[in-house]
Amino acid sequence: MKRIPSWITYTVLRLLVFAVPLAILLLVGLVWWLAVIAAALIGLCLSYIFLSRPRNAVSSELYAARHRDKPLRSEDDDVEDAAVEDAAADKDAAVEDAAADKDAAVEDAAADSTAGHRPDHAGPAA
């Protein structure tokens, strides 16, 4: 059986520490907005006092995840990297094709301009 992640446990406990006092205060007949504020303060105090172990577990897991020697690789990371490399290769090929087309157009223009020019012709007669 898989272990429940500590962040889920901590989140559920924090919600319960807020929801239970809220329900009790609403059942007592307190105005809803005052009951929400009081339940938030009660939940804050109770979670600070009683939920230190789950809070420390969550913070330790977060620290360990942020300070790994090597980041974890998933299959999704490999697929994304391959897609980026393919896109870069396609872009490079398109740039090379465009440069070759431009070079060919320049050569064609140069050939057209020299074909209409006669070297023995000195220009218009005076």
Side-chain angles (χ1 to χ4, degrees), residues 2 11 14 24-25 32 53 62 64 67 73 76 115 126:
K2 277 187 128 179
T11 302
R14 284 291 308 261
I24 291 171
L25 292 172
W32 70 269
R53 216 176 314 160
L62 285 173
H67 293 89
R73 300 280 302 168
D76 188 46

Side-chain angles (χ1 to χ4, degrees), residues 15 20 33 56-57 79 85 96 105:
L15 288 172
V20 170
W33 58 270
N56 289 337
V79 170
E85 289 169 3
E96 288 174 7

Side-chain angles (χ1 to χ4, degrees), residues 33-59:
W33 58 270
L34 191 57
V36 169
I37 292 171
L41 291 174
I42 291 168
L44 177 72
C45 293
L46 290 176
S47 67
Y48 184 75
I49 295 169
F50 295 112
L51 300 181
S52 63
R53 216 176 314 160
R55 184 176 53 249
N56 289 337
V58 170
S59 65

Side-chain angles (χ1 to χ4, degrees), residues 56-103:
N56 289 337
V58 170
S59 65
S60 297
E61 287 179 10
L62 285 173
Y63 181 84
R66 295 286 297 167
H67 293 89
R68 282 195 184 107
D69 291 336
K70 286 170 118 180
L72 294 177
R73 300 280 302 168
S74 68
E75 183 180 336
D76 188 46
D77 293 333
D78 296 334
V79 170
E80 287 176 1
D81 290 345
V84 168
E85 289 169 3
D86 289 344
D90 290 345
K91 181 180 177 186
D92 290 343
V95 168
E96 288 174 7
D97 289 345
D101 290 344
K102 182 179 177 185
D103 290 342

